[in-house]
């Protein structure tokens, strides 16, 4: 495991953070949860029937010591969850509808986070992104002042660490969306001990080209500066002007960013998704994520092709997010 995650493990020990895993019988989830509990970096909460989870753990040779097991279909405090769910949905779901939805492990797990019986949730090993994110948006919702969640990747190669966003969620962000992504991505950077220097990217540097697309990025820069005046942030930049000091001197000599950006905000989902995969495949960077940003409590989505190590790492990230402001 890379130094990045060794540092996160050290940060999380003794914090007693509780992370819920709706897919409690999945072998990858069980293996990662067993390691997390054994290493005492967080308290895993697995959802499912206790006998079934214990049988699966025995089958694959892992311990469930230190793991909490909760059965959504036999939960003693279900009525309080139903009431809280109905209240949160503000008339969109009645009690019968709430009881039915809470039989779904992702809705149940998300409600545990909402009522603070868990600090975060990791799902997606056997569910789609929509199955994971929809309950979070309906129940946990985005932070005040944030309209949409976004997805960031931390790109790691040796001692190099960068944040790329949005690479996973918002297809066509407007200026407000980009500003929110920039501010939230800076917070993600700090979680990994990156002092954020944020560049909003485009195909233009400081007005070298004029179009609706470049003007949108320029507007986003101004909004982001109003949202967080302390943030070291600028744009619009072509990538080389944001990353190469010699190019920055020529293209943006007066900018606070002088080729030293480490947080990159892409102007669209297609650009972000292509960009991180190029860095991953051609640049041999490890892509850690997607890390969902902007929610009131952390919920993160695994790929259905994930392995046990992916689960372990994303759980660490989720735990660390729960300690952020």
């Amino acid at each position: 495991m890379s130094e990045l995650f060794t540092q996160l493990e050290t940060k999380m020990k003794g914090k007693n953070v509780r992370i819920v895993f709706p897919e409690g019988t999945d072998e990858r989830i069980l293996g990662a949860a067993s390691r997390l509990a054994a290493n005492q970096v967080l308290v895993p909460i697995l959802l499912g029937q206790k006998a079934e989870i214990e049988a699966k753990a025995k089958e694959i040779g892992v311990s469930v010591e230190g793991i909490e097991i909760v059965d959504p279909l036999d939960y003693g405090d279900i009525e309080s969850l139903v009431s809280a769910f109905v209240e949160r949905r503000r008339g969109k779901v009645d009690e019968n509808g709430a009881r039915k939805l809470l039989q779904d492990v992702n809705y149940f797990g998300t409600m545990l986070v909402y009522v603070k019986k868990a600090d975060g949730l990791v799902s997606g090993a056997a569910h789609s992104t929509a199955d994971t994110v929809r309950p979070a948006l309906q129940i946990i919702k985005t932070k005040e002042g944030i309209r949409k969640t976004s997805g960031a990747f931390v790109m790691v190669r040796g001692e190099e660490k960068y944040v790329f966003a949005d690479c996973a969620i918002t297809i066509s962000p407007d200026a407000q969306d980009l500003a929110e992504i920039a501010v939230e991505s800076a917070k993600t950077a700090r979680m990994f001990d990156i002092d954020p220097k944020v560049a909003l990217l485009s195909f233009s540097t400081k007005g070298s080209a004029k179009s609706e697309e470049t003007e949108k990025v320029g507007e986003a820069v101004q909004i982001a500066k109003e949202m967080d005046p302390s943030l070291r942030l600028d744009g619009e930049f072509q990538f080389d002007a944001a990353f190469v000091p010699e190019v920055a001197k020529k293209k943006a000599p007066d900018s606070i960013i002088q080729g030293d950006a480490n947080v990159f905000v892409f102007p669209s989902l297609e650009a972000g998704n292509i960009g991180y995969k190029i860095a991953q495949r051609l640049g041999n960077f490890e892509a850690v994520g997607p890390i969902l940003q902007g929610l009131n409590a952390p919920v993160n989505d695994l790929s259905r092709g994930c392995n046990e190590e992916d689960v372990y790492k994303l759980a660490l990230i989720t735990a660390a997010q729960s300690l952020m402001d």
Side-chain angles (χ1 to χ4, degrees):
M1 189 165 61
S2 68
E3 183 181 348
L4 180 78
F5 288 98
T6 301
Q7 292 171 348
L8 276 184
E9 281 185 321
T10 302
K11 279 185 179 182
M12 297 316 303
K13 285 194 175 182
K15 298 296 193 299
N16 204 38
V17 173
R18 298 161 58 80
I19 301 298
V20 60
F21 299 86
E23 299 150 329
T25 57
D26 187 284
E27 292 184 10
R28 298 161 294 179
I29 300 294
L30 262 170
S34 181
R35 288 171 53 199
L36 290 161
N39 293 339
Q40 299 182 328
V41 292
L42 58 85
V43 178
I45 304 170
L46 300 187
L47 301 188
Q49 294 181 2
K50 184 175 182 180
E52 189 175 351
I53 290 172
E54 289 178 342
K56 176 61 72 171
K58 184 177 181 180
E59 177 186 327
I60 64 175
V62 301
S63 171
V64 294
E65 185 176 353
I67 295 173
E68 292 187 21
I69 300 173
V70 176
D71 185 352
L73 301 181
D74 186 25
Y75 185 64
D77 202 20
I78 190 65
E79 291 306 316
S80 67
L81 283 191
V82 169
S83 296
F85 189 96
V86 171
E87 181 181 0
R88 185 59 165 167
R89 297 297 288 137
R90 297 178 180 176
K92 295 179 180 178
V93 178
D94 62 16
E95 288 191 4
N96 287 334
R99 284 192 184 88
K100 183 176 180 180
L101 282 171
L102 287 172
Q103 293 176 18
D104 179 293
V105 289
N106 281 308
Y107 273 96
F108 184 91
T110 303
M111 280 301 299
L112 290 185
V113 177
Y114 176 65
V115 300
K116 302 189 183 306
K117 293 189 176 181
D119 299 296
L121 178 145
V122 173
S123 188
H127 291 89
S128 69
T129 295
D131 289 337
T132 301
V133 175
R134 186 184 300 111
L137 294 177
Q138 291 178 355
I139 298 167
I140 292 173
K141 302 186 180 182
T142 55
K143 299 173 186 174
E144 184 176 355
I146 301 295
R147 301 186 307 177
K148 298 176 182 176
T149 188
S150 56
F153 281 85
V154 178
M155 309 300 294
V156 184
R157 185 175 64 184
E159 295 184 357
E160 294 178 84
K161 295 183 288 187
Y162 308 100
V163 174
F164 284 14
D166 181 350
C167 303
I169 302 293
T170 308
I171 295 174
S172 298
D174 61 20
Q176 180 70 36
D177 296 332
L178 289 175
E180 293 174 5
I181 292 166
V183 172
E184 290 300 310
S185 296
K187 295 176 183 178
T188 296
R190 293 188 188 101
M191 186 174 73
F192 292 93
D193 295 325
I194 300 170
D195 180 20
K197 303 174 186 66
V198 184
L200 281 81
L201 301 179
S202 184
F203 57 84
S204 166
T205 298
K206 293 293 188 176
S208 63
K210 293 284 188 181
S211 73
E212 291 182 6
E213 290 82 3
T214 62
E215 289 174 358
K216 175 184 73 172
V217 178
E219 181 184 353
V221 170
Q222 299 309 311
I223 296 171
K225 287 180 177 179
E226 292 173 5
M227 292 176 66
D228 186 353
S230 69
L231 193 57
R232 188 172 173 185
L233 171 150
D234 206 1
E236 84 282 8
F237 290 118
Q238 293 161 287
F239 183 81
D240 56 355
F243 191 68
V244 182
E246 293 79 8
V247 177
K249 289 178 184 178
K250 295 177 181 178
K251 292 188 173 183
D254 299 324
S255 175
I256 194 172
I257 301 294
Q258 282 297 300
D260 55 352
N262 50 27
V263 177
F264 300 95
V265 177
F266 292 84
S268 68
L269 180 59
E270 59 188 353
N273 191 270
I274 291 167
Y276 100 80
K277 289 187 176 180
I278 288 175
Q280 181 185 37
R281 300 300 180 180
L282 294 184
N284 294 317
F285 277 84
E286 178 185 5
V288 179
I291 302 164
L292 297 189
Q293 304 180 140
L295 293 168
N296 280 308
V299 170
N300 281 310
D301 178 42
L302 293 159
S303 164
R304 278 174 280 184
C306 68
N307 58 33
E308 180 183 308
E309 189 70 8
D310 296 329
V311 179
Y312 188 93
K313 290 176 177 178
L314 194 58
L316 278 177
I317 290 170
T318 306
Q321 279 182 293
S322 74
L323 301 180
M324 293 168 60
D325 59 11

